[in-house]
Amino acid sequence: MQDAITTLINTSDMQGKYLDDSSLDNLQNYFRSGDLRARAAMSVSANASKIVTKTVAKALLYTDITAPGGNMYTCRRYAACIRDMDYFLRYATYAMLAGDPSILNERVLNGLKETYNSLGVPVGATVRAVQSMKEVASEMLGAEAGQEMGVYFDHICSGLS
Ligand SMILES: CCC1=C(C)/C(=C/C2=NC(=C\c3[nH]c(/C=C4\NC(=O)[C@H](C)[C@H]4CC)c(C)c3CCC(=O)O)/C(CCC(=O)O)=C2C)NC1=O
């Protein structure tokens, strides 16, 4: 896993240079938003199950997916879906704190699409659910923190698409 700082340092080190102006700008933005990121992470962890429950209500309940024949039908599969949504939320929060998506690539997205396809988990519906979670999180955390989180929800969606 990487974070905004190690990514910038590694890039400079590869070129054998000090951080250039644009890297320093990036670094300053990262530090400036540090307090916001920490507060967003606290508020996600205090509201995680609420965020997931609201998202499921908004995006998945009373659709074909939860009805007989749908991929979330049966308690086992329903619970697997909720658990996956919780993984997405938790790892998006880690990535948001790190200011870098690599933890999502390594621990969540790696092989996920293939796993979903082989189990018949609908990828399109999952992407729509993650987009709903982005909206729910933004409503609960406020626009600024929601925007920081939104970057990583979008990253999950493009990794699945
Ligand atoms: C930490 C990283 C990590 C991730 C991301 C992860 C995902 C993951 N989700 C799975 C299953 C699943 N995922 C879903 C999810 C859904 N079905 C739907 O219709 C909805 C759209 C969607 C929820 C949004 C379901 C229903 C299953 C069970 C499928 C089955 O066994 O038939 C499986 C197969 C094994 C299992 O059932 O546990 C994995 C590996 N596992 C991990 O360790």
Side-chain angles (χ1 to χ4, degrees):
M1 155 202 175
Q2 290 208 315
D3 56 48
I5 305 172
T6 46
T7 303
L8 289 169
I9 291 177
N10 285 336
T11 310
S12 302
D13 187 30
M14 245 159 358
Q15 301 164 340
K17 288 181 181 161
Y18 286 93
L19 271 70
D20 60 19
D21 286 352
S22 89
S23 306
L24 287 169
D25 267 357
N26 286 338
L27 205 56
Q28 273 200 323
N29 284 334
Y30 178 66
F31 286 132
R32 240 183 252 126
S33 60
D35 188 47
L36 173 67
R37 287 168 200 272
R39 276 186 286 118
M42 271 191 277
S43 144
V44 172
S45 69
N47 292 292
S49 62
K50 248 194 247 167
I51 293 174
V52 172
T53 309
K54 269 198 174 181
T55 304
V56 171
K58 186 173 165 141
L60 298 162
L61 274 188
Y62 312 116
T63 65
D64 291 348
I65 294 170
T66 50
N71 191 257
M72 278 175 81
Y73 189 67
T74 77
C75 280
R76 183 187 66 78
R77 288 203 298 258
Y78 190 96
C81 178
I82 305 259
R83 179 210 57 199
D84 287 7
M85 293 301 287
D86 199 49
Y87 284 149
F88 295 149
L89 180 60
R90 182 159 57 88
Y91 281 95
T93 309
Y94 294 156
M96 182 273 303
L97 277 172
D100 189 282
S102 63
I103 193 166
L104 283 170
N105 298 341
E106 288 161 20
R107 299 193 199 167
V108 177
L109 294 169
N110 186 9
L112 185 61
K113 195 175 172 182
E114 294 72 17
T115 304
Y116 275 1
N117 285 336
S118 74
L119 289 171
V121 173
V123 172
T126 304
V127 167
R128 284 195 297 280
V130 173
Q131 284 300 318
S132 292
M133 189 146 69
K134 179 177 158 183
E135 290 162 20
V136 169
S138 189
E139 282 160 22
M140 292 183 72
L141 309 173
E144 261 194 323
Q147 203 175 8
E148 295 288 340
M149 285 296 292
V151 174
Y152 301 98
F153 289 134
D154 286 342
H155 188 87
I156 293 172
C157 292
S158 50
L160 279 174
S161 303

